[in-house]
Amino acid sequence: MRKISVLLFLAWVGFLFYAGIALFTSGFLLTRLELTNHSSCQEPPGPGSLPWGSRGEPGACWMASRFSRLVLVLIDALRFDFAQPQLSHVSGEPPVSLPFLGKLGFLQRILEIQPHHARLYQSKVDPPTTTMQRLKALTTGSLPTFIDAGSNFASYAIAEDNLVKQLTSTGRRVVFMGDETWNDLFPGAFSQAFFFPSFDVRDLHTVDNGILEHLYPIMDSGEWDVLITHFLGVDHCGHKHGPHHPEMAKKLSQMDQVIQGLVERLENDTLLVVTGDHGMTTSGNHGGDSELETSAALFLYSPTALFPSAPPEEPEVIPQISLVPTLALLLGLPIPFGNIGEVIAEVFSEVEDSQPHSSTLAQASALHLNAQQVSRFLHTYSTAAQDLQVKELHRLQNLFSKASADYQRLLQSPQGAEAALQTVITELQQFLRGVRAMCIESWARFSLSFLLLHLLAAGIPITTPGPFTVPWQAVSAWAFMATQTFYSTGHQPVFPAIHWHAAFVGVPEGHDFTWLSALLVGTNTFASHILFAVGCPLLLLWPFLCESQGPRKRRQPPGNEAEARVRPEEEEEPLMEMRLRDAPHHFNAALLQLGLKYLFVLGIQILACALAASILRRHLMVWKVFAPKFIFEAMGFIVSSVGLCLGIALVMRVDGAVSSWFRQLVLAQQKAGEQSSLVYTGAGSSAREAQSHLLPPCSQDLLASGTSLFYNSKS
């Protein structure tokens, strides 16, 4: 078998596995078609008159703007309980004080002193809880795709309709300062920008201090309409120390002072939003879907009254993407085209109007605009893609049609329709929440194509006769040792456990090369897969290791018994590596057999992960355990298959060099025999004596063994 044929066949088998992994990934992980459509003021989201459209107020779009300015403070990893009071206790038990509790004291005082101006919500985050996916959700109102978690190393510009694009298209001056990830997501979108590197999680102060250096001067200058800040100190402190460290208390106290300074500078036409993009675990990490990771704080404040009633005892839980349509309508912007979030209805109440009917109608109008926009998105998306559940889609569209008809009818005769308006609000909320649930379920559907391709790859015959057959238990043990080494070196198949500090190995002062960081972290994570895959061809020595040591008679092939009786001397069978030259026509086939066995064992592992993820795809821990495990196994398989091909190619190269060397030795022996017959003709002379005069002593033993192997292979 030719060497190139072995490598091509292994590459083809690997391609079958790659195709199966790709099909399963596209069918199971959260994936969706990203539409490039954009909303505009000139195109209403649906038929019917727009609320307050006849007033002709400046800045009015789908709805008249309530605020002309916005200050958005994004505190990375601001977990919801970070905004809780100092003492947290259960009735009958002593109070428990945690270092991070009660550090946002000014925020708590505002909630108590001005209940109609401020509100605290628990923002429920969709997994994965990685920064780039959260920024996409906070600006587009859509669901992030889980597969995009890997693009945290290299974020790309958002092509979907989003709040930043809507702001810039209407001529708003958007100023940003903070995490440089925003520059990748929104290149050239800001009138002023102060970007700071975000990758060094050991640095708690550079980004935050850089923001504070520019924040208040920019705010006092008035040369802005929207001011966005992205603080990283809390997140980096969690990664470095954890939430229970005293440094976390200092960071939260610093953020509390920032909020106080902003509130003191706000004007009546400005809305302040303070939110976290995600939470963090008890160890300070994030990326999964645990309660602590998906629970973030959301604080709204307006110098003028914004809420018609006092806040509830327990803060309301709202989806994180609800902030997108809410801010769009409050600022007089169109809701981004792909948004599936639900507006926070209470902020659209008519606070100054004593008529409850007016507040209810304002809430119904905002929800109806939101529902029209979502219905338009569903219609466009279902036309371009076929991954939404048809039956559920029709049910939701019928629900929206009924609620929309009831709303239009109530607009014609609004008097005495308080109860009917509440019914319409309930129906619209059911529609919006049903759409979000359908999208989550439809964009995580399992595909059986992976199983078919996997079975096709696994069904390839891999049993070939020959003297180098490696048993299955040896190949399986080798593959399991790679897995054991992965865990024993401190790795786990979850994103929060990735050794991010490996990105700075050899460069303690840091660097600006994103690709180098990705390479270092990837090599550190999959080092065991690389080493064991490249070293897999060493298993060809397994049969020889299992044999007893010492000289043995060479086994004669069937039919050569007579020749063996004629030959009086016994030939010793070469040991260990020398036997690799005993049957060169079987050597390449043995390498192919070994490679296929190793790929098969690795394929069984990834198949088990795929089955676990698909069977438990509705499990609460699917995004925490099963999906990350599948991704790590898939990446490990790809790395191992490439390493295996490189290892086999290296062994073939060495085998070719050894074969050439043996041929040179045989030719040297033949020449030595010819010359010895001419020079040494007396009795007692032998070919071996002539050989000892012409060849170095270090080659004589190898030559004797190589000669026998050569003639045996020729026979």
Side-chain angles (χ1 to χ4, degrees), residues 560-579:
N560 290 350
E561 290 83 358
E563 181 182 350
R565 286 193 298 269
V566 173
R567 187 180 302 172
E569 67 275 6
E570 291 185 351
E571 295 184 16
E572 293 184 0
E573 185 174 8
L575 301 177
M576 298 302 291
E577 295 87 345
M578 298 301 299
R579 286 189 56 192

Side-chain angles (χ1 to χ4, degrees), residues 1 65 87 223 232 256 260 358 396 523 558 625:
M1 180 176 287
S65 61
L87 297 180
E223 298 178 355
L232 292 176
D256 190 57
Q260 182 176 357
S358 179
L396 291 172
T523 304
V625 177

Side-chain angles (χ1 to χ4, degrees), residues 56-278:
E57 297 182 6
C61 187
W62 292 1
M63 178 178 284
S65 61
R66 187 160 182 177
F67 297 96
S68 59
R69 287 186 170 186
L70 168 69
V71 177
L72 174 60
V73 180
L74 181 61
I75 303 177
D76 208 296
L78 183 64
R79 205 168 70 188
F80 173 71
D81 56 350
F82 289 175
Q84 294 297 293
Q86 172 67 34
L87 297 180
S88 169
H89 62 88
V90 180
S91 178
E93 296 183 4
V96 177
S97 178
L98 297 174
F100 55 78
L101 292 179
K103 302 308 175 185
L104 299 181
F106 178 79
L107 185 147
Q108 290 294 330
R109 290 195 298 273
I110 286 291
L111 290 171
E112 296 172 359
I113 298 173
Q114 297 180 298
H116 295 280
H117 297 249
R119 189 74 87 243
L120 177 65
Y121 298 96
Q122 181 177 351
S123 178
K124 197 65 176 177
V125 179
D126 296 303
T129 51
T130 48
T131 296
M132 196 272 285
Q133 280 69 33
R134 295 299 92 227
L135 295 182
K136 290 180 66 175
L138 282 168
T139 54
T140 65
S142 60
L143 293 176
T145 54
F146 189 86
I147 196 88
D148 282 347
S151 61
N152 253 4
F153 281 110
S155 305
Y156 297 102
I158 296 178
E160 290 182 284
D161 195 8
N162 57 81
L163 281 177
V164 176
K165 185 171 294 185
Q166 290 292 342
L167 287 166
T168 56
S169 63
T170 55
R172 308 289 180 93
R173 297 167 297 176
V174 183
V175 178
F176 175 83
M177 52 192 73
D179 187 353
E180 64 182 357
T181 303
W182 288 74
N183 188 34
D184 299 324
L185 296 176
F186 309 101
F190 305 109
S191 59
Q192 290 188 69
F194 305 92
F195 299 112
F196 301 95
S198 60
F199 196 77
D200 188 359
V201 296
R202 298 170 297 181
D203 185 356
L204 309 185
H205 307 292
T206 298
V207 177
D208 293 0
N209 292 341
I211 294 174
L212 294 177
E213 181 181 351
H214 301 283
L215 177 58
Y216 299 124
I218 290 292
M219 193 171 183
D220 294 337
S221 69
E223 298 178 355
W224 58 276
D225 296 306
V226 175
L227 182 58
I228 303 175
T229 63
H230 188 165
F231 291 92
L232 292 176
V234 172
D235 178 71
H236 287 187
C237 183
H239 285 296
K240 185 176 182 180
H241 301 294
H244 297 86
H245 196 274
E247 283 295 330
M248 181 62 75
K250 295 179 181 178
K251 266 296 163 190
L252 291 175
S253 298
Q254 183 186 29
M255 294 299 100
D256 190 57
Q257 295 175 3
V258 171
I259 296 173
Q260 182 176 357
L262 291 173
V263 168
E264 293 173 352
R265 290 171 169 81
L266 289 181
E267 298 180 359
N268 290 339
D269 63 344
T270 307
L271 174 67
L272 172 64
V273 177
V274 180
T275 185
D277 56 344
H278 52 74

